[in-house]
Amino acid sequence: MKKGSFIGLFLCFTVVVVSLLSACTNAEEMKYKQYVIDGQALYKTHCANCHQLDGKGLAGLYPPIEGSDFLAKNKNLIICAMRNGLQDTITVNGKQYHQPMPANTQLQALDVAEITTYIYSTWGGEKAITDVKAVEKILKTCGDK
Ligand code: HEC
């Protein structure tokens, strides 16, 4: 093979690899964005009544999600709570809450994953997807088969 055509082939190969890689990143990025958009819509329907659209909650009754110090430390528990509810006394930003959060068995694992991605991206400082596979695993620890 001539040196010139070898270099040509090599360049061609490099271009293909680079464009494949960026197509992958774009697909991941698109999936993340879609999760956030769908998660926001689901949050409005299923969560905002109590926690409010702005995530600030309702004084004394419903804890805030925005700025919550409970969020980062209790991700698995929160994922389970969306499905199964939560009847506990919890402390969020130094305040105690003891109203029950109702179960929502309508929510599929994908719904929970999208809502989780939305709330953790918006108020939890995470800029990453919480994938449906991860959520399925966590839901299995609290009752899912
Ligand atoms: C009927 C009102 C109500 C609905 C609807 C509701 N929650 Fe809650 N949520 C609560 C209450 C009350 C608590 C505290 C529960 C406790 O003290 O055991 C709570 C706790 C939480 C917490 C942990 C504390 C914090 O603020 O960091 C998160 C996160 C949360 N809810 C997210 C959600 C999400 C997401 C949805 C929708 C899928 C949802 N909640 C639906 C009332 C509600």
Side-chain angles (χ1 to χ4, degrees), residues 37-48 107 110-112 114-115:
I37 291 168
D38 292 346
Q40 182 175 35
L42 288 161
Y43 177 86
K44 276 188 193 165
T45 311
H46 298 286
C47 322
L107 295 176
L110 178 61
D111 302 328
V112 174
E114 290 174 337
I115 298 171

Side-chain angles (χ1 to χ4, degrees), residues 35-128:
Y35 263 55
V36 173
I37 291 168
D38 292 346
Q40 182 175 35
L42 288 161
Y43 177 86
K44 276 188 193 165
T45 311
H46 298 286
C47 322
N49 268 350
C50 296
H51 295 285
Q52 308 301 302
L53 278 179
D54 59 9
K56 289 193 196 319
L58 261 190
L61 283 179
Y62 305 127
I65 301 181
E66 187 218 28
S68 160
D69 63 356
F70 192 85
L71 214 55
K73 288 176 271 175
N74 298 282
K75 193 164 175 180
N76 291 11
L77 182 144
I78 288 166
I79 285 171
C80 285
M82 283 185 222
R83 171 66 73 70
N84 302 326
L86 187 66
Q87 299 189 19
D88 203 349
T89 297
I90 61 170
T91 306
V92 181
N93 302 340
K95 280 194 197 129
Q96 285 203 340
Y97 294 87
H98 32 68
Q99 298 287 323
M101 171 162 147
N104 190 341
T105 49
Q106 250 184 294
L107 295 176
Q108 304 299 310
L110 178 61
D111 302 328
V112 174
E114 290 174 337
I115 298 171
T116 305
T117 301
Y118 171 68
I119 66 175
Y120 278 84
S121 292
T122 310
W123 299 301
E126 272 185 24
K127 290 291 169 235

